[in-house]
Amino acid sequence: MCGIVGYVSKKQNAVQVLIEGLKSLEYRGYDSAGIAFNNNGKMKIVKVKGKVNVLNEKVKNLKGNVGIGHTRWATHGAPNEINAHPHKVGNVTIVHNGIIENYKEIKKELEKEGIKFKSETDTEVVAGLISFIYKNNENKLETLKEVSLKIKGSFALGIIFDDENETIYALRKDSPLIIALGENENYIASDVPAILSFTNKFILLEKDEIAKITYKKINIYNKKLSEITKPVLTYEGTKESVMKNGFDHFMLKEIYDEPKVIENILQSYCFDYNIKTLENKFGSFLKYNKINIVACGSAMHAGLVGKSIIENEANVPVEVFLASEYRYNKVFNDKKTLTILISQSGETADTLAALRKAKKDGSDTLGIINVVGSSIARESGRVIYIKAGSEIAVATTKAYQAQVFILMLLSILISYQKGNITLEKANKLLKEFKKFPKEIEAIINDRDNYLKIAERIYKQEDIFFIGRKVDYFLCQEGSLKLKEISYIHSEAYAAGELKHGTISLVKENTPVIGVITDKLIDEKTVSNIKETVARGADVLIVTTDELYDKYKTDKFYSNIVIIPKTNVYKRPILAIIPLQLIAYEVAKLRGESIDQPRNLAKSVTVE
Ligand code: F6R
């Protein structure tokens, strides 16, 4: 949602460190930014509307040794300089990631006490509350404890008090926060990329913990304010793994990472292509006779692809829910239902709430998560990490693929555990993944074709994606990818449903992208595609070489992407790559901000 960073040292380089940290966190929000730092003993605050580069122009010649910074994705109040963080009330300056649900009530109480607020934000109210409580009891830890009991919602806070302005206090509930360790310098940040230029050692601050950080000491307290010791973790990736590595955009780099991610998953969970090894890592699923998958956005689309394969191949019913709906609807859960939560960030507010609801209902839970130690990972009954590495582009690509691949492995394992397939068959299926990374690479490398298609459609304002069964789910993901980064309106339809209304929107030259990879249903989809051709649609298809042989003389399409004939587990992963890359090329031709599309943020920690 927002990115926060903090730095304490004896050197006068805080401003540069904060700017560098914020640049790495811009994927979390980028409509405004600001820093507060100790400048010759006084807190100086500089804020701007816009990106961190704009902020950098204003502060590049300034110096300080301790400071906090923030890059914002607006929730309360427009993105402007006044609403940007840090916020200072009295002698307290703070940055905040999350959302405070009861800020209006608190604001009223504080206004009665004579405190005046300048912004429309919930964050300024928290600064006011800290300042007010601290004035009365003068004990910082007790103040922060009282504040965390009083505010409702999700938050991670970085705080500097004027009377101790060489120390940062940090406090977290549901939003992520790490404390990173340097030599005679320490940091706080929302995520690891912010500190990787300086150190890879960090401590995960957990729910209700408070930290006091100076340049030489870190003290951490639990909610009873007893001091606790926490393990120091080492981030195993390199700075390069979270950099663009020469690619124009993170999104493109991350699509090129896909073969490596699949390789990583294979190495981590079944390096010997033996189902027993996979079983050892993933555990038993024998007792479940139903699976509920809960997620948001692309992670939900990954769940839909998983549903299609698990139902057809493992013969277990799967229901897929949008987390934002799941949490408020009646859901039928029992001890034989497994609830799977899929989330790249592991911090998505709705998915986290759904997890808590599933647990309360007595369902076993499994998190399929990328970010190690994230809230959903920690609270899930068991967790399978997708091993995708840092994903920076707001539009997910490699993490989505990793989520789908984990579900494919799970499907094979469940089939084996339920006795639908023999051990030999399961091992044979796993061995078919040996060359999978190379097959993915080959599809990625067909860039010229994707560019040609993008050039044909990038000036359009409405695009339709149609397919049936798993192809329909791929259409949903392809359509989301295209619209979120190119701002072209696009919709995904089950091919047979189009004529029940939406086909009225198809006119001369309207692009229709047909996904036809399932040979049990291809003819039906082709008939539906031809209905759009009859209304003037310009049709592009993604299909397999096997089906291409069937349709090569029946040219109802103007452009074609061909993926190799392969098994049901690999096909959805291969078929989405052209859609990811077409979306990328279209957005690039339109000159859009590909890695940071308007109005979006990488990690959605508000409801
Ligand atoms: C779209 C996209 C989003 C996320 C969704 C869930 O490209 O990235 O739709 O998939 O916000 O996020 P996570 O996986 O972090 O829970």
Side-chain angles (χ1 to χ4, degrees), residues 33 63 85 90 141 143 195 283 377 400 434 477 586 592 599:
K63 298 223 174 310
H85 303 205
L141 290 175
T143 296
I195 50 89
Y400 163 86
K434 270 190 180 167
E477 176 57 10
V586 167
E592 302 300 354
N599 304 340

Side-chain angles (χ1 to χ4, degrees), residues 287-335:
K287 80 177 220 206
Y288 304 114
N289 56 20
K290 184 170 178 240
I291 295 174
N292 287 337
I293 297 182
V294 195
C296 301
S298 292
M300 195 277 291
H301 296 156
L304 288 170
V305 174
K307 166 191 167 74
S308 178
I309 306 304
I310 295 171
E311 286 187 337
N312 284 307
E313 306 303 318
N315 209 24
V316 175
V318 180
E319 210 170 335
V320 179
F321 298 84
L322 285 166
S324 53
E325 289 293 305
Y326 178 98
R327 57 188 293 192
Y328 297 114
N329 273 324
K330 179 161 177 61
V331 177
F332 296 90
N333 264 321
D334 61 28
K335 294 245 167 287

Side-chain angles (χ1 to χ4, degrees), residues 296-299 342-346 348 394-396 403 480-481 484 604:
C296 301
S298 292
I342 307 179
S343 176
Q344 186 286 127
S345 61
T348 302
V394 166
T396 180
Q403 291 161 349
L480 176 61
K481 221 70 321 164
E484 70 181 323
V604 185

Side-chain angles (χ1 to χ4, degrees), residues 162-222:
D162 277 355
D163 63 4
E164 195 183 346
N165 64 13
E166 301 225 330
T167 302
I168 295 178
Y169 285 83
L171 169 65
R172 86 156 270 197
K173 202 171 156 215
D174 285 326
S175 305
L177 199 72
I178 59 163
I179 301 163
L181 289 71
E183 258 187 41
N184 286 328
E185 53 192 0
N186 290 311
Y187 312 77
I188 62 167
S190 298
D191 199 357
V192 173
I195 50 89
L196 273 185
S197 299
F198 314 109
T199 173
N200 62 354
K201 301 262 178 277
F202 68 97
I203 296 169
L204 270 176
L205 198 65
E206 285 174 80
K207 196 170 170 178
D208 295 325
E209 289 175 350
I210 301 175
K212 176 182 176 186
I213 304 142
T214 65
Y215 75 97
K216 56 178 179 205
K217 203 158 189 288
I218 295 168
N219 304 90
I220 301 179
Y221 305 88
N222 64 17

Side-chain angles (χ1 to χ4, degrees), residues 366-378:
L366 164 70
I368 296 184
I369 308 294
N370 195 29
V371 177
V372 176
S374 56
S375 302
I376 302 174
R378 279 185 285 110

